[in-house]
Amino acid sequence: MSGYAKLFEQMLEQSHKMARTFNPALESFQVHGFDKLIPTMPKDFMDMMWGNTFNPDGLDSKTRLLVVIAGLTVLGAQADAQFKIAVRHALEAGATEREIAEVIYQMAMLGGIPAMSRALDLAQTVFDETDEETGK
């Protein structure tokens, strides 16, 4: 196996570990064939997306997900499903509702008040659904 192939295999395993951390239900997720699942995603983008190229021991899952929520908020929280999934995963990774709301509030300066309001509405929907599921 070439050095690049070995590095790619290592990156896939790190991605698998990260996915399990984001959501324990992904325990059985197999990374083999992932490149066929999303064939337009180049390896360099995957490395960048998972953050393993620059610092494999860097940000934890909670922080990475808060960053995703910040980015999606600045973009106007236009992708409802993706935004809600990021909020759910952030909660699963240990973020509190307050931390998520603070990240969204902070993005008002960059994305504007309408983007912040939209993101808060979507996050509140997730918070309410989570409360119903847990009986709070």
Side-chain angles (χ1 to χ4, degrees), residues 96 102 110 114-115 124:
T96 65
E102 286 181 22
L110 300 170
Q124 187 62 57

Side-chain angles (χ1 to χ4, degrees), residues 7 11 16 23 27 31 33 35 42 49 53 61 66 68 76 79 85 88 90 94-95 101 110 118 131-132:
L7 183 62
M11 186 273 307
H16 190 183
N23 184 346
E27 182 68 33
V31 295
D35 57 332
M49 181 181 79
T53 298
S61 299
L66 290 173
V68 168
I85 288 169
R88 284 184 214 289
L110 300 170
R118 174 95 174 110
D131 288 348
E132 286 176 19

